[in-house]
Amino acid sequence: MNVIASRIPAVRKPLTEIDLCVWVGQAAPGDVLEYHRGFLALDTLTQGARLAERERAELARVAHRAWWAASRGMIHLVQRRHRSDEYSYLAVARPKPKQASISLSSLLLAEAA
Amino acid sequence: MRTSISRDDLHILLHEADVAARRLVRQLRLPRADLDDVRQDLLADLIARLPAYDPDRGALGAFAGTVLTNRATRIANKVKRERRMYGAMPISLDEPVPESDGLTRGDLTAEADGLSALFGQPVDAFAAAEHRLDVERGLGSLEPADRALCAALSRTTVDCLAASGHGARSSLYRRVKDIRLALTAIGVRAA
């Protein structure tokens, strides 16, 4: 845990969905990103008063995108408890999954046909 | 008004154009190779304006001089404008570079220093091939419907797709936003 904690970058401003996507796209295997600190389930609640509406909506998008990336095998999602109701939500980069490439020429020809 | 031109008059026009072209090339310090182009430009303008020449108002040489001066001023302004835009004196790519074994400037200029690079076009063939591979890998990770949308957007716009019944405009933009995020997460950088 200490190893991971020392590699967590300092969070200066709330992460946005595109920030997370850029990090996922560029991270080397093993890189760690804290994409939220708090209690995600509560912080994303519409009725919750922990965050302003705009921040809550962005956090929900970030959390959804992190889940999406994990389901695609791009990252691991882990969390670290600091104290009651306060967690670090961490994304750990995985080796890039091998995707079957699609021929751009074939795709464009099929579209033109 | 004049409809025909005699041999003597043609000689006057050619001579005036030649003098004006040499003067302009010298004043602007243009390459010697540009002399013929400038002369042709001046002469073409002069011939186009010849029907407006009235012998009662003066000699043909004077008329030609006035027309050529005006045209030369416009050419000079154009050249100065281009120099201000690019911040340098134009030089010919065919000009041999001193002490370089007969090589021209074109031979020694890298593609990355060319006009294409100046206007932001890709010049690195290897980078372009790698980008294409990245795009193909990214497309492979998309749903088939999203792939088809990407291909369609390579030749048309969201508005046109919406108008041709491929879905609501807002829905298409939402999908495009989602595709961009997915491609970014896969590591495909924006073009």
PDB file of all heavy atoms in Angstrom, chain A residues 17-18 21-22 24-25 65 68 72 74 96 99-105 107-108 111, chain B residues 132 135-137 139-141 143 147-148 151-152 154-155 178 181-182 184-187:
ATOM      1  N   GLU A  17     -13.874  13.760 -17.038  1.00  0.00           N
ATOM      2  CA  GLU A  17     -13.946  12.505 -17.795  1.00  0.00           C
ATOM      3  C   GLU A  17     -12.851  12.436 -18.851  1.00  0.00           C
ATOM      4  O   GLU A  17     -12.200  11.406 -19.028  1.00  0.00           O
ATOM      5  CB  GLU A  17     -15.332  12.392 -18.444  1.00  0.00           C
ATOM      6  CG  GLU A  17     -15.613  11.048 -19.056  1.00  0.00           C
ATOM      7  CD  GLU A  17     -16.992  10.974 -19.679  1.00  0.00           C
ATOM      8  OE1 GLU A  17     -17.626  12.036 -19.856  1.00  0.00           O
ATOM      9  OE2 GLU A  17     -17.444   9.863 -19.987  1.00  0.00           O
ATOM     10  N   ILE A  18     -12.614  13.563 -19.531  1.00  0.00           N
ATOM     11  CA  ILE A  18     -11.592  13.549 -20.589  1.00  0.00           C
ATOM     12  C   ILE A  18     -10.199  13.413 -19.978  1.00  0.00           C
ATOM     13  O   ILE A  18      -9.325  12.757 -20.548  1.00  0.00           O
ATOM     14  CB  ILE A  18     -11.702  14.806 -21.491  1.00  0.00           C
ATOM     15  CG1 ILE A  18     -10.750  14.732 -22.686  1.00  0.00           C
ATOM     16  CG2 ILE A  18     -11.437  16.078 -20.728  1.00  0.00           C
ATOM     17  CD1 ILE A  18     -11.106  13.655 -23.661  1.00  0.00           C
ATOM     18  N   CYS A  21      -9.723   9.796 -19.428  1.00  0.00           N
ATOM     19  CA  CYS A  21      -9.497   9.077 -20.690  1.00  0.00           C
ATOM     20  C   CYS A  21      -8.069   9.311 -21.201  1.00  0.00           C
ATOM     21  O   CYS A  21      -7.415   8.385 -21.691  1.00  0.00           O
ATOM     22  CB  CYS A  21     -10.506   9.527 -21.745  1.00  0.00           C
ATOM     23  SG  CYS A  21     -12.163   8.939 -21.414  1.00  0.00           S
ATOM     24  N   VAL A  22      -7.612  10.556 -21.098  1.00  0.00           N
ATOM     25  CA  VAL A  22      -6.251  10.864 -21.544  1.00  0.00           C
ATOM     26  C   VAL A  22      -5.246  10.071 -20.716  1.00  0.00           C
ATOM     27  O   VAL A  22      -4.288   9.501 -21.252  1.00  0.00           O
ATOM     28  CB  VAL A  22      -5.976  12.387 -21.428  1.00  0.00           C
ATOM     29  CG1 VAL A  22      -4.498  12.690 -21.612  1.00  0.00           C
ATOM     30  CG2 VAL A  22      -6.802  13.148 -22.451  1.00  0.00           C
ATOM     31  N   VAL A  24      -5.744   7.236 -19.092  1.00  0.00           N
ATOM     32  CA  VAL A  24      -5.838   5.808 -19.439  1.00  0.00           C
ATOM     33  C   VAL A  24      -5.099   5.537 -20.748  1.00  0.00           C
ATOM     34  O   VAL A  24      -4.387   4.544 -20.891  1.00  0.00           O
ATOM     35  CB  VAL A  24      -7.320   5.376 -19.548  1.00  0.00           C
ATOM     36  CG1 VAL A  24      -7.427   3.962 -20.116  1.00  0.00           C
ATOM     37  CG2 VAL A  24      -7.992   5.428 -18.191  1.00  0.00           C
ATOM     38  N   GLY A  25      -5.260   6.460 -21.693  1.00  0.00           N
ATOM     39  CA  GLY A  25      -4.635   6.266 -22.998  1.00  0.00           C
ATOM     40  C   GLY A  25      -3.115   6.339 -22.951  1.00  0.00           C
ATOM     41  O   GLY A  25      -2.443   5.746 -23.792  1.00  0.00           O
ATOM     42  N   ARG A  65     -16.983   6.253 -16.446  1.00  0.00           N
ATOM     43  CA  ARG A  65     -15.931   6.013 -17.440  1.00  0.00           C
ATOM     44  C   ARG A  65     -14.857   5.084 -16.862  1.00  0.00           C
ATOM     45  O   ARG A  65     -14.308   4.240 -17.575  1.00  0.00           O
ATOM     46  CB  ARG A  65     -15.326   7.356 -17.855  1.00  0.00           C
ATOM     47  CG  ARG A  65     -14.287   7.293 -18.946  1.00  0.00           C
ATOM     48  CD  ARG A  65     -14.783   6.679 -20.234  1.00  0.00           C
ATOM     49  NE  ARG A  65     -15.894   7.411 -20.814  1.00  0.00           N
ATOM     50  CZ  ARG A  65     -16.531   7.034 -21.929  1.00  0.00           C
ATOM     51  NH1 ARG A  65     -16.174   5.925 -22.574  1.00  0.00           N
ATOM     52  NH2 ARG A  65     -17.551   7.727 -22.376  1.00  0.00           N
ATOM     53  N   TRP A  68     -16.186   1.705 -17.087  1.00  0.00           N
ATOM     54  CA  TRP A  68     -16.155   1.286 -18.494  1.00  0.00           C
ATOM     55  C   TRP A  68     -14.746   0.816 -18.870  1.00  0.00           C
ATOM     56  O   TRP A  68     -14.571  -0.226 -19.493  1.00  0.00           O
ATOM     57  CB  TRP A  68     -16.587   2.468 -19.373  1.00  0.00           C
ATOM     58  CG  TRP A  68     -16.386   2.279 -20.844  1.00  0.00           C
ATOM     59  CD1 TRP A  68     -17.241   1.696 -21.727  1.00  0.00           C
ATOM     60  CD2 TRP A  68     -15.234   2.683 -21.620  1.00  0.00           C
ATOM     61  NE1 TRP A  68     -16.705   1.708 -22.996  1.00  0.00           N
ATOM     62  CE2 TRP A  68     -15.481   2.302 -22.961  1.00  0.00           C
ATOM     63  CE3 TRP A  68     -14.033   3.319 -21.303  1.00  0.00           C
ATOM     64  CZ2 TRP A  68     -14.565   2.538 -23.976  1.00  0.00           C
ATOM     65  CZ3 TRP A  68     -13.126   3.553 -22.321  1.00  0.00           C
ATOM     66  CH2 TRP A  68     -13.400   3.167 -23.634  1.00  0.00           C
ATOM     67  N   ARG A  72     -13.308  -2.972 -19.924  1.00  0.00           N
ATOM     68  CA  ARG A  72     -12.587  -3.225 -21.179  1.00  0.00           C
ATOM     69  C   ARG A  72     -11.181  -3.759 -20.945  1.00  0.00           C
ATOM     70  O   ARG A  72     -10.408  -3.900 -21.883  1.00  0.00           O
ATOM     71  CB  ARG A  72     -12.484  -1.937 -21.998  1.00  0.00           C
ATOM     72  CG  ARG A  72     -13.806  -1.355 -22.441  1.00  0.00           C
ATOM     73  CD  ARG A  72     -14.451  -2.281 -23.445  1.00  0.00           C
ATOM     74  NE  ARG A  72     -15.654  -1.730 -24.040  1.00  0.00           N
ATOM     75  CZ  ARG A  72     -15.689  -1.121 -25.219  1.00  0.00           C
ATOM     76  NH1 ARG A  72     -14.588  -0.991 -25.904  1.00  0.00           N
ATOM     77  NH2 ARG A  72     -16.822  -0.674 -25.701  1.00  0.00           N
ATOM     78  N   MET A  74      -8.716  -2.200 -19.418  1.00  0.00           N
ATOM     79  CA  MET A  74      -7.662  -1.179 -19.518  1.00  0.00           C
ATOM     80  C   MET A  74      -7.052  -0.852 -18.156  1.00  0.00           C
ATOM     81  O   MET A  74      -5.880  -0.481 -18.086  1.00  0.00           O
ATOM     82  CB  MET A  74      -8.235   0.101 -20.123  1.00  0.00           C
ATOM     83  CG  MET A  74      -8.780  -0.061 -21.515  1.00  0.00           C
ATOM     84  SD  MET A  74      -9.622   1.440 -21.998  1.00  0.00           S
ATOM     85  CE  MET A  74     -10.174   0.991 -23.620  1.00  0.00           C
ATOM     86  N   LYS A  96      -1.964  -2.637 -22.275  1.00  0.00           N
ATOM     87  CA  LYS A  96      -3.031  -2.344 -23.248  1.00  0.00           C
ATOM     88  C   LYS A  96      -3.567  -3.642 -23.843  1.00  0.00           C
ATOM     89  O   LYS A  96      -2.785  -4.470 -24.329  1.00  0.00           O
ATOM     90  CB  LYS A  96      -2.484  -1.472 -24.382  1.00  0.00           C
ATOM     91  CG  LYS A  96      -2.019  -0.100 -23.924  1.00  0.00           C
ATOM     92  CD  LYS A  96      -3.186   0.842 -23.756  1.00  0.00           C
ATOM     93  CE  LYS A  96      -2.740   2.227 -23.315  1.00  0.00           C
ATOM     94  NZ  LYS A  96      -2.300   2.306 -21.916  1.00  0.00           N
ATOM     95  N   GLN A  99      -6.351  -5.428 -29.367  1.00  0.00           N
ATOM     96  CA  GLN A  99      -7.620  -5.342 -30.097  1.00  0.00           C
ATOM     97  C   GLN A  99      -7.390  -5.768 -31.535  1.00  0.00           C
ATOM     98  O   GLN A  99      -6.331  -5.500 -32.098  1.00  0.00           O
ATOM     99  CB  GLN A  99      -8.128  -3.901 -30.106  1.00  0.00           C
ATOM    100  CG  GLN A  99      -8.308  -3.295 -28.726  1.00  0.00           C
ATOM    101  CD  GLN A  99      -9.587  -3.746 -28.061  1.00  0.00           C
ATOM    102  OE1 GLN A  99     -10.377  -4.462 -28.675  1.00  0.00           O
ATOM    103  NE2 GLN A  99      -9.784  -3.359 -26.820  1.00  0.00           N
ATOM    104  N   ALA A 100      -8.391  -6.430 -32.091  1.00  0.00           N
ATOM    105  CA  ALA A 100      -8.324  -6.752 -33.515  1.00  0.00           C
ATOM    106  C   ALA A 100      -8.470  -5.448 -34.296  1.00  0.00           C
ATOM    107  O   ALA A 100      -9.400  -4.689 -34.061  1.00  0.00           O
ATOM    108  CB  ALA A 100      -9.434  -7.714 -33.881  1.00  0.00           C
ATOM    109  N   SER A 101      -7.503  -5.167 -35.162  1.00  0.00           N
ATOM    110  CA  SER A 101      -7.582  -3.931 -35.931  1.00  0.00           C
ATOM    111  C   SER A 101      -8.616  -4.049 -37.042  1.00  0.00           C
ATOM    112  O   SER A 101      -8.899  -5.141 -37.529  1.00  0.00           O
ATOM    113  CB  SER A 101      -6.222  -3.615 -36.551  1.00  0.00           C
ATOM    114  OG  SER A 101      -5.317  -3.262 -35.550  1.00  0.00           O
ATOM    115  N   ILE A 102      -9.163  -2.928 -37.393  1.00  0.00           N
ATOM    116  CA  ILE A 102     -10.112  -2.869 -38.513  1.00  0.00           C
ATOM    117  C   ILE A 102      -9.438  -2.085 -39.622  1.00  0.00           C
ATOM    118  O   ILE A 102      -8.908  -1.005 -39.375  1.00  0.00           O
ATOM    119  CB  ILE A 102     -11.411  -2.145 -38.082  1.00  0.00           C
ATOM    120  CG1 ILE A 102     -12.135  -2.949 -36.994  1.00  0.00           C
ATOM    121  CG2 ILE A 102     -12.315  -1.904 -39.271  1.00  0.00           C
ATOM    122  CD1 ILE A 102     -12.705  -4.248 -37.457  1.00  0.00           C
ATOM    123  N   SER A 103      -9.440  -2.633 -40.819  1.00  0.00           N
ATOM    124  CA  SER A 103      -8.819  -1.932 -41.937  1.00  0.00           C
ATOM    125  C   SER A 103      -9.581  -0.652 -42.240  1.00  0.00           C
ATOM    126  O   SER A 103     -10.780  -0.682 -42.524  1.00  0.00           O
ATOM    127  CB  SER A 103      -8.801  -2.835 -43.171  1.00  0.00           C
ATOM    128  OG  SER A 103      -8.538  -2.050 -44.313  1.00  0.00           O
ATOM    129  N   LEU A 104      -8.872   0.457 -42.134  1.00  0.00           N
ATOM    130  CA  LEU A 104      -9.503   1.756 -42.383  1.00  0.00           C
ATOM    131  C   LEU A 104     -10.002   1.846 -43.825  1.00  0.00           C
ATOM    132  O   LEU A 104     -11.114   2.326 -44.079  1.00  0.00           O
ATOM    133  CB  LEU A 104      -8.473   2.855 -42.103  1.00  0.00           C
ATOM    134  CG  LEU A 104      -8.965   4.291 -42.032  1.00  0.00           C
ATOM    135  CD1 LEU A 104     -10.063   4.430 -41.012  1.00  0.00           C
ATOM    136  CD2 LEU A 104      -7.822   5.227 -41.713  1.00  0.00           C
ATOM    137  N   SER A 105      -9.186   1.350 -44.751  1.00  0.00           N
ATOM    138  CA  SER A 105      -9.575   1.419 -46.171  1.00  0.00           C
ATOM    139  C   SER A 105     -10.856   0.640 -46.416  1.00  0.00           C
ATOM    140  O   SER A 105     -11.784   1.108 -47.088  1.00  0.00           O
ATOM    141  CB  SER A 105      -8.457   0.864 -47.043  1.00  0.00           C
ATOM    142  OG  SER A 105      -7.250   1.458 -46.717  1.00  0.00           O
ATOM    143  N   LEU A 107     -13.146  -0.127 -44.292  1.00  0.00           N
ATOM    144  CA  LEU A 107     -14.275   0.522 -43.628  1.00  0.00           C
ATOM    145  C   LEU A 107     -14.803   1.687 -44.463  1.00  0.00           C
ATOM    146  O   LEU A 107     -16.012   1.844 -44.657  1.00  0.00           O
ATOM    147  CB  LEU A 107     -13.834   1.018 -42.250  1.00  0.00           C
ATOM    148  CG  LEU A 107     -14.925   1.546 -41.325  1.00  0.00           C
ATOM    149  CD1 LEU A 107     -15.885   0.444 -40.939  1.00  0.00           C
ATOM    150  CD2 LEU A 107     -14.325   2.168 -40.084  1.00  0.00           C
ATOM    151  N   LEU A 108     -13.879   2.476 -44.982  1.00  0.00           N
ATOM    152  CA  LEU A 108     -14.288   3.647 -45.760  1.00  0.00           C
ATOM    153  C   LEU A 108     -14.908   3.211 -47.098  1.00  0.00           C
ATOM    154  O   LEU A 108     -15.870   3.824 -47.570  1.00  0.00           O
ATOM    155  CB  LEU A 108     -13.088   4.568 -46.016  1.00  0.00           C
ATOM    156  CG  LEU A 108     -12.506   5.217 -44.749  1.00  0.00           C
ATOM    157  CD1 LEU A 108     -11.284   6.050 -45.081  1.00  0.00           C
ATOM    158  CD2 LEU A 108     -13.536   6.067 -44.043  1.00  0.00           C
ATOM    159  N   GLU A 111     -18.384   2.050 -46.442  1.00  0.00           N
ATOM    160  CA  GLU A 111     -19.268   3.179 -46.186  1.00  0.00           C
ATOM    161  C   GLU A 111     -19.650   3.877 -47.491  1.00  0.00           C
ATOM    162  O   GLU A 111     -20.787   4.277 -47.697  1.00  0.00           O
ATOM    163  CB  GLU A 111     -18.563   4.163 -45.251  1.00  0.00           C
ATOM    164  CG  GLU A 111     -19.215   5.533 -45.132  1.00  0.00           C
ATOM    165  CD  GLU A 111     -20.621   5.467 -44.609  1.00  0.00           C
ATOM    166  OE1 GLU A 111     -20.943   4.504 -43.884  1.00  0.00           O
ATOM    167  OE2 GLU A 111     -21.420   6.351 -44.951  1.00  0.00           O
TER     168      GLU A 111
ATOM    169  N   ARG B 132      -2.125   5.846 -38.453  1.00  0.00           N
ATOM    170  CA  ARG B 132      -3.150   5.052 -39.136  1.00  0.00           C
ATOM    171  C   ARG B 132      -3.342   3.708 -38.420  1.00  0.00           C
ATOM    172  O   ARG B 132      -4.473   3.247 -38.240  1.00  0.00           O
ATOM    173  CB  ARG B 132      -2.720   4.823 -40.594  1.00  0.00           C
ATOM    174  CG  ARG B 132      -3.799   4.150 -41.430  1.00  0.00           C
ATOM    175  CD  ARG B 132      -3.290   3.821 -42.825  1.00  0.00           C
ATOM    176  NE  ARG B 132      -4.305   3.140 -43.588  1.00  0.00           N
ATOM    177  CZ  ARG B 132      -5.151   3.712 -44.415  1.00  0.00           C
ATOM    178  NH1 ARG B 132      -5.109   5.011 -44.576  1.00  0.00           N
ATOM    179  NH2 ARG B 132      -6.050   3.015 -45.066  1.00  0.00           N
ATOM    180  N   VAL B 135      -5.314   4.340 -35.355  1.00  0.00           N
ATOM    181  CA  VAL B 135      -6.737   4.554 -35.671  1.00  0.00           C
ATOM    182  C   VAL B 135      -7.418   3.212 -35.957  1.00  0.00           C
ATOM    183  O   VAL B 135      -8.531   2.949 -35.476  1.00  0.00           O
ATOM    184  CB  VAL B 135      -6.881   5.505 -36.880  1.00  0.00           C
ATOM    185  CG1 VAL B 135      -8.318   5.541 -37.376  1.00  0.00           C
ATOM    186  CG2 VAL B 135      -6.436   6.913 -36.507  1.00  0.00           C
ATOM    187  N   GLU B 136      -6.732   2.340 -36.697  1.00  0.00           N
ATOM    188  CA  GLU B 136      -7.325   1.033 -37.027  1.00  0.00           C
ATOM    189  C   GLU B 136      -7.509   0.199 -35.755  1.00  0.00           C
ATOM    190  O   GLU B 136      -8.506  -0.495 -35.592  1.00  0.00           O
ATOM    191  CB  GLU B 136      -6.447   0.311 -38.053  1.00  0.00           C
ATOM    192  CG  GLU B 136      -6.463   1.013 -39.411  1.00  0.00           C
ATOM    193  CD  GLU B 136      -5.722   0.236 -40.487  1.00  0.00           C
ATOM    194  OE1 GLU B 136      -4.902  -0.634 -40.135  1.00  0.00           O
ATOM    195  OE2 GLU B 136      -5.961   0.528 -41.680  1.00  0.00           O
ATOM    196  N   ARG B 137      -6.535   0.301 -34.849  1.00  0.00           N
ATOM    197  CA  ARG B 137      -6.668  -0.425 -33.574  1.00  0.00           C
ATOM    198  C   ARG B 137      -7.827   0.165 -32.765  1.00  0.00           C
ATOM    199  O   ARG B 137      -8.632  -0.557 -32.169  1.00  0.00           O
ATOM    200  CB  ARG B 137      -5.363  -0.298 -32.781  1.00  0.00           C
ATOM    201  CG  ARG B 137      -5.313  -1.087 -31.507  1.00  0.00           C
ATOM    202  CD  ARG B 137      -3.915  -1.045 -30.922  1.00  0.00           C
ATOM    203  NE  ARG B 137      -3.431   0.324 -30.721  1.00  0.00           N
ATOM    204  CZ  ARG B 137      -3.716   1.070 -29.656  1.00  0.00           C
ATOM    205  NH1 ARG B 137      -4.471   0.585 -28.703  1.00  0.00           N
ATOM    206  NH2 ARG B 137      -3.248   2.284 -29.548  1.00  0.00           N
ATOM    207  N   LEU B 139     -10.464   1.756 -33.948  1.00  0.00           N
ATOM    208  CA  LEU B 139     -11.733   1.392 -34.594  1.00  0.00           C
ATOM    209  C   LEU B 139     -12.126  -0.042 -34.228  1.00  0.00           C
ATOM    210  O   LEU B 139     -13.308  -0.356 -34.076  1.00  0.00           O
ATOM    211  CB  LEU B 139     -11.618   1.532 -36.108  1.00  0.00           C
ATOM    212  CG  LEU B 139     -11.569   2.970 -36.631  1.00  0.00           C
ATOM    213  CD1 LEU B 139     -11.233   2.968 -38.117  1.00  0.00           C
ATOM    214  CD2 LEU B 139     -12.888   3.670 -36.397  1.00  0.00           C
ATOM    215  N   GLY B 140     -11.104  -0.902 -34.090  1.00  0.00           N
ATOM    216  CA  GLY B 140     -11.380  -2.293 -33.746  1.00  0.00           C
ATOM    217  C   GLY B 140     -12.024  -2.446 -32.385  1.00  0.00           C
ATOM    218  O   GLY B 140     -12.677  -3.457 -32.110  1.00  0.00           O
ATOM    219  N   SER B 141     -11.830  -1.451 -31.519  1.00  0.00           N
ATOM    220  CA  SER B 141     -12.391  -1.555 -30.174  1.00  0.00           C
ATOM    221  C   SER B 141     -13.798  -0.969 -30.091  1.00  0.00           C
ATOM    222  O   SER B 141     -14.444  -1.061 -29.056  1.00  0.00           O
ATOM    223  CB  SER B 141     -11.486  -0.822 -29.186  1.00  0.00           C
ATOM    224  OG  SER B 141     -11.578   0.562 -29.406  1.00  0.00           O
ATOM    225  N   GLU B 143     -17.888  -0.392 -31.167  1.00  0.00           N
ATOM    226  CA  GLU B 143     -19.022  -1.192 -31.630  1.00  0.00           C
ATOM    227  C   GLU B 143     -19.179  -0.983 -33.143  1.00  0.00           C
ATOM    228  O   GLU B 143     -18.848   0.099 -33.655  1.00  0.00           O
ATOM    229  CB  GLU B 143     -20.301  -0.734 -30.928  1.00  0.00           C
ATOM    230  CG  GLU B 143     -20.272  -0.883 -29.409  1.00  0.00           C
ATOM    231  CD  GLU B 143     -20.170  -2.335 -28.975  1.00  0.00           C
ATOM    232  OE1 GLU B 143     -20.736  -3.193 -29.680  1.00  0.00           O
ATOM    233  OE2 GLU B 143     -19.512  -2.613 -27.964  1.00  0.00           O
ATOM    234  N   ARG B 147     -18.410   2.322 -35.427  1.00  0.00           N
ATOM    235  CA  ARG B 147     -17.438   2.291 -36.527  1.00  0.00           C
ATOM    236  C   ARG B 147     -18.066   2.878 -37.797  1.00  0.00           C
ATOM    237  O   ARG B 147     -17.467   3.687 -38.499  1.00  0.00           O
ATOM    238  CB  ARG B 147     -17.053   0.844 -36.815  1.00  0.00           C
ATOM    239  CG  ARG B 147     -15.695   0.470 -36.334  1.00  0.00           C
ATOM    240  CD  ARG B 147     -15.443  -0.980 -36.684  1.00  0.00           C
ATOM    241  NE  ARG B 147     -15.429  -1.792 -35.489  1.00  0.00           N
ATOM    242  CZ  ARG B 147     -15.709  -3.081 -35.435  1.00  0.00           C
ATOM    243  NH1 ARG B 147     -16.093  -3.735 -36.519  1.00  0.00           N
ATOM    244  NH2 ARG B 147     -15.619  -3.735 -34.318  1.00  0.00           N
ATOM    245  N   ALA B 148     -19.298   2.444 -38.061  1.00  0.00           N
ATOM    246  CA  ALA B 148     -19.992   2.936 -39.259  1.00  0.00           C
ATOM    247  C   ALA B 148     -20.209   4.436 -39.167  1.00  0.00           C
ATOM    248  O   ALA B 148     -20.098   5.151 -40.168  1.00  0.00           O
ATOM    249  CB  ALA B 148     -21.329   2.207 -39.411  1.00  0.00           C
ATOM    250  N   ALA B 151     -16.972   6.163 -40.032  1.00  0.00           N
ATOM    251  CA  ALA B 151     -16.733   6.129 -41.479  1.00  0.00           C
ATOM    252  C   ALA B 151     -17.631   7.133 -42.195  1.00  0.00           C
ATOM    253  O   ALA B 151     -17.196   7.836 -43.113  1.00  0.00           O
ATOM    254  CB  ALA B 151     -16.979   4.722 -42.005  1.00  0.00           C
ATOM    255  N   ALA B 152     -18.897   7.205 -41.740  1.00  0.00           N
ATOM    256  CA  ALA B 152     -19.821   8.148 -42.378  1.00  0.00           C
ATOM    257  C   ALA B 152     -19.366   9.584 -42.152  1.00  0.00           C
ATOM    258  O   ALA B 152     -19.466  10.426 -43.049  1.00  0.00           O
ATOM    259  CB  ALA B 152     -21.231   7.934 -41.825  1.00  0.00           C
ATOM    260  N   SER B 154     -16.466  10.634 -42.004  1.00  0.00           N
ATOM    261  CA  SER B 154     -15.291  10.996 -42.792  1.00  0.00           C
ATOM    262  C   SER B 154     -15.676  11.665 -44.099  1.00  0.00           C
ATOM    263  O   SER B 154     -14.843  12.257 -44.774  1.00  0.00           O
ATOM    264  CB  SER B 154     -14.441   9.760 -43.076  1.00  0.00           C
ATOM    265  OG  SER B 154     -15.118   8.905 -43.974  1.00  0.00           O
ATOM    266  N   ARG B 155     -16.953  11.547 -44.483  1.00  0.00           N
ATOM    267  CA  ARG B 155     -17.357  12.147 -45.758  1.00  0.00           C
ATOM    268  C   ARG B 155     -18.528  13.118 -45.614  1.00  0.00           C
ATOM    269  O   ARG B 155     -18.879  13.797 -46.577  1.00  0.00           O
ATOM    270  CB  ARG B 155     -17.726  11.060 -46.769  1.00  0.00           C
ATOM    271  CG  ARG B 155     -18.839  10.168 -46.325  1.00  0.00           C
ATOM    272  CD  ARG B 155     -19.453   9.317 -47.411  1.00  0.00           C
ATOM    273  NE  ARG B 155     -20.528   8.511 -46.859  1.00  0.00           N
ATOM    274  CZ  ARG B 155     -21.734   8.966 -46.601  1.00  0.00           C
ATOM    275  NH1 ARG B 155     -22.032  10.222 -46.833  1.00  0.00           N
ATOM    276  NH2 ARG B 155     -22.660   8.166 -46.088  1.00  0.00           N
ATOM    277  N   ASP B 178     -19.010  10.318 -27.055  1.00  0.00           N
ATOM    278  CA  ASP B 178     -18.659   9.049 -26.403  1.00  0.00           C
ATOM    279  C   ASP B 178     -17.543   8.335 -27.174  1.00  0.00           C
ATOM    280  O   ASP B 178     -16.627   7.767 -26.568  1.00  0.00           O
ATOM    281  CB  ASP B 178     -19.916   8.167 -26.320  1.00  0.00           C
ATOM    282  CG  ASP B 178     -19.789   7.170 -25.202  1.00  0.00           C
ATOM    283  OD1 ASP B 178     -19.517   7.599 -24.064  1.00  0.00           O
ATOM    284  OD2 ASP B 178     -19.927   5.957 -25.468  1.00  0.00           O
ATOM    285  N   LEU B 181     -14.198   9.992 -26.439  1.00  0.00           N
ATOM    286  CA  LEU B 181     -13.672   9.602 -25.123  1.00  0.00           C
ATOM    287  C   LEU B 181     -13.104   8.185 -25.173  1.00  0.00           C
ATOM    288  O   LEU B 181     -12.041   7.907 -24.622  1.00  0.00           O
ATOM    289  CB  LEU B 181     -14.788   9.702 -24.078  1.00  0.00           C
ATOM    290  CG  LEU B 181     -15.194  11.134 -23.699  1.00  0.00           C
ATOM    291  CD1 LEU B 181     -16.508  11.137 -22.939  1.00  0.00           C
ATOM    292  CD2 LEU B 181     -14.107  11.796 -22.867  1.00  0.00           C
ATOM    293  N   ALA B 182     -13.834   7.287 -25.852  1.00  0.00           N
ATOM    294  CA  ALA B 182     -13.373   5.892 -25.933  1.00  0.00           C
ATOM    295  C   ALA B 182     -12.045   5.817 -26.681  1.00  0.00           C
ATOM    296  O   ALA B 182     -11.110   5.140 -26.248  1.00  0.00           O
ATOM    297  CB  ALA B 182     -14.436   5.043 -26.623  1.00  0.00           C
ATOM    298  N   THR B 184      -9.843   8.190 -27.020  1.00  0.00           N
ATOM    299  CA  THR B 184      -8.802   8.818 -26.189  1.00  0.00           C
ATOM    300  C   THR B 184      -8.293   7.825 -25.150  1.00  0.00           C
ATOM    301  O   THR B 184      -7.083   7.709 -24.918  1.00  0.00           O
ATOM    302  CB  THR B 184      -9.370  10.063 -25.480  1.00  0.00           C
ATOM    303  OG1 THR B 184      -9.883  10.950 -26.456  1.00  0.00           O
ATOM    304  CG2 THR B 184      -8.279  10.776 -24.686  1.00  0.00           C
ATOM    305  N   ALA B 185      -9.225   7.093 -24.524  1.00  0.00           N
ATOM    306  CA  ALA B 185      -8.832   6.116 -23.501  1.00  0.00           C
ATOM    307  C   ALA B 185      -8.017   4.983 -24.116  1.00  0.00           C
ATOM    308  O   ALA B 185      -7.173   4.381 -23.448  1.00  0.00           O
ATOM    309  CB  ALA B 185     -10.073   5.566 -22.808  1.00  0.00           C
ATOM    310  N   ILE B 186      -8.256   4.700 -25.375  1.00  0.00           N
ATOM    311  CA  ILE B 186      -7.507   3.626 -26.036  1.00  0.00           C
ATOM    312  C   ILE B 186      -6.119   4.121 -26.458  1.00  0.00           C
ATOM    313  O   ILE B 186      -5.226   3.335 -26.732  1.00  0.00           O
ATOM    314  CB  ILE B 186      -8.328   3.095 -27.234  1.00  0.00           C
ATOM    315  CG1 ILE B 186      -9.547   2.348 -26.695  1.00  0.00           C
ATOM    316  CG2 ILE B 186      -7.527   2.179 -28.127  1.00  0.00           C
ATOM    317  CD1 ILE B 186     -10.670   2.240 -27.669  1.00  0.00           C
ATOM    318  N   GLY B 187      -5.960   5.433 -26.475  1.00  0.00           N
ATOM    319  CA  GLY B 187      -4.648   5.992 -26.772  1.00  0.00           C
ATOM    320  C   GLY B 187      -4.544   6.614 -28.146  1.00  0.00           C
ATOM    321  O   GLY B 187      -3.450   6.935 -28.592  1.00  0.00           O
TER     322      GLY B 187
END
